[in-house]
Structure formats: structure tokens, C-alpha cells
Amino acid sequence: MFQWKKLKKEDRKREILAGTTSFFAISYIIMVNTVILAEAGMPKELTIFGTIFISIIGSILIGLVADAPIVLTTGMGVNSFFTYTLVLSLGLTWQQALAVSFCSGVVYLLVAFTKLSKLFAEVVPETLKTGITVGIGFFLVLIGLEKGHLILRGEHTFLQLAPLDNTLTLLTLFSLILTVTLFIKGIQGSFFIGIVAVTLIANIFGMVTPTEHFSLSGLGNYSQIFLRLDFSSFFSKSFLLGVFALSMILIFESMGLLKGLMPEADENKYLRAYRITGFITLLSSILGTSPTVAAAESATGIEEGGKTGLTAITSGIGFFFALVALPFLSYIPDSALAPAIIITGFLMIQQIKTLHFDDFSDYFPAMLMIVLIPFTMNISDGMAFGFVAYPLTKWVAGKKAELPFPMWLISGLFLIYLIVNILI
């Protein structure tokens, strides 16, 4: 049943290397998620444990149960929604926001364990699935470019090239050249080799200045955020709006990410992965952190040859060792991680060739996703515009036969999601 149990020795090595690569590619989430949740009033020295614990449990479980090479960890975008929308915009406390997250997890599981999950997965047209994959690819490229200090906010434009006399920019360019060379040469573990080599160089030449210092000593106070859900505002407008919007994000973003990362997975594998993702989302609120999703950076390990759950299990073990290595995590420079993320993004963008450019009603909604996901830096918002546009373009084109009722239902839900976003 599970491929990872039957792997040959050389295949097992490949999977472990892939999982290690995925872990390093997404390891920045440990620090970044902690910083974002701190703005919601949550203590940094404690939320870092919640982030690591849920990543360990999520990655190992999806590997064991779904046999999928996916890292489950706190999601970028979802953590921003948690802090900036639920807490800072709607005025909920972080304890109440955790309760919103829990309720959204319940809604997710109701979808995941009913026929709705299969219906939603089957009715979504291939053009939108491609749009999600390619959009996430561009999203990763932008994240990599920004993390590598190659682009920055422009004075007269949205983005501009960073000054090439910046030490970190030059380090990223060197890292990118090294990693691309290794990748093109077909060197197994090219991403991992690049990360290790550039990390050593950066530290030898004093290019890394750690800004955060964490240790296991804070674990004794973890009870301050564990199981701290507050349902006192359950019937308030803010709470209910938050549950609806977050449920839409989790249900469809997870669906899009899993389909994008595992396009050839059979129905049973996809469904197991989807259900585990929902369960871990529910558990994240109990552990005192923002909701989890399938990390887009999982694609780095998949490109390294990760095909089974052993890749995810290895990543989960990587998060476990991160607990011990907390004081050293900040010594890994972004410049070492950026190339793996950038290259993976470009590999996902290749799927754009499957779009039918001879049918404007078909590719226009997909292109909306492809453009808006990276430019808004929000996967859910970009998906929403694509799903809303699809039935409209097909209707105008006189192709109503391509629009089954469930597709109208999904598009209607995304329209409500966009309206709710305006209201909150």
C-alpha cells in the first residue's frame, strides 16, 4: 500500500535527501511565523515551539498515512490572515483567533470526510488546476528573489532590482549560479549541496549576523499558549466572518496546493493527504499556532526525487532536530535557501504550456490566477478571482455545457469569500 515501506536502499537515500532539502527550503517558516504571530500579541519564545511541533506532527503523519512527499507546516498567507485580519482588523484576541482557526478546521473536516471533497476535486477544470500550479510557481520565484535580496520594493515601481554592490545580493547570485550548475549537470542533491556550501562560505566570511536567539529553556512556559482557545465571542459578527473566510482559504488553498504538488497522485492518495491536512489544521490551534497548509516549498524535495511519504517523514524529523539546533538556525542565510525556491518555482511554471491559448474563455481565468497569486502574494485571493471569472467567461462564450452546477457553487462561494474580505 505504501511505497516508502518497499523502497530499495538507493531509493531510500534519494527520499531522505529530498526530505532534507524540503526541510531546509521551508525552514525559514520557523522564524518568520514566530515574528508574524508576535504582532498578534503571542510570545515569540513560545510560538516557535508551536510552529515546530505542528510541523513535526503534520509532516510525519502525512508521510505515514497518505504516503505523500508533502511538508505540512504553518502557511505563509494564512498566518498573515490570522494576525492582520482576525486580530488587528476584526479586533479578536489571539486566543479568540485560535478558536476561529479551530472552528475553520472543523468545517474543513466536514468537507474532507464527505462527498464534497471528491465532488470539488473532480469538478475543477484542468485549466484552473494549471493556473494554480503556475501561479504558485511564480509565487515561489518572487519569494526566492525577495529572500535572496535580489529584488526590493521600488521607489517608483512596485519592485526593482536590488543594488548589485550589496554583499547578500552577490552571495545569492553566487549561490544561484552554483545551484543551477549542479542542477543542470544532474547532480543528485544539488539543492542541498548548494545550501550547505553557501552556508559555510557565509559564516566563514562573517556574512551572517543572527538577529534572533532561541533556546529550549522557554519550553517550560509552553502551557501559556497550549490549548488557549477562547470561544467567548462565538456568536459575534467578527468571529463568524472570520470562520467563513478562513474556512474558504483552508479548504480550497489546500486542495489547490495538493493538486499542484501531486498532479499525478491517484484519488485515494490525494484524499488521504487532504484529510490529514484538515486534521493537522485543527490540531494547530490547540498547539497555539496559526493554521497549517501543504508547503509550496515541498516541490523542492519533489524535484530532488521525493515521491513517497519517506520524504515527508524526513522533513518532520528535520523539524525535530531544529528544536535542538534552535540557536544555530539563524546562521543559515536566506541567500543559501533562495536558489532552491527560485528554481523550483520555474519548474512549476513549465506547466503553463498545457493551457489552451486558442480559447480565451479557457485560459483567461487561469491567467488571472497566474498573475494575481504572485502579485498579491496571496494564493487564496488569486484563486478566488480565477474561480469567479471561469463561469463568467464560459457563459459569455456560449459554453454553458462546460459548467456543471457544482462549478457554479464553488465560484459562488469564492465570490462570497471576496465580498467577506471587503467587509472585514
Side-chain angles (χ1 to χ4, degrees), residues 2 4 53-72 272-273 275-281 283 309-310 312-317:
F2 296 115
W4 65 269
F53 291 155
I54 199 64
S55 302
I56 294 171
I57 297 170
S59 299
I60 290 178
L61 269 185
I62 200 170
L64 290 174
V65 178
D67 197 24
I70 303 297
V71 179
L72 284 185
R272 289 196 302 269
R275 287 173 174 174
I276 286 295
T277 303
F279 172 71
I280 298 301
T281 294
L283 186 60
L310 184 56
I313 293 169
T314 302
S315 296
I317 294 172

Side-chain angles (χ1 to χ4, degrees), residues 30-63:
I30 297 174
M31 297 299 183
V32 174
N33 195 58
T34 298
V35 171
I36 290 176
L37 294 185
E39 295 192 43
M42 301 185 73
K44 282 185 182 181
E45 67 277 9
L46 301 181
T47 54
I48 194 168
F49 294 116
T51 301
I52 292 176
F53 291 155
I54 199 64
S55 302
I56 294 171
I57 297 170
S59 299
I60 290 178
L61 269 185
I62 200 170

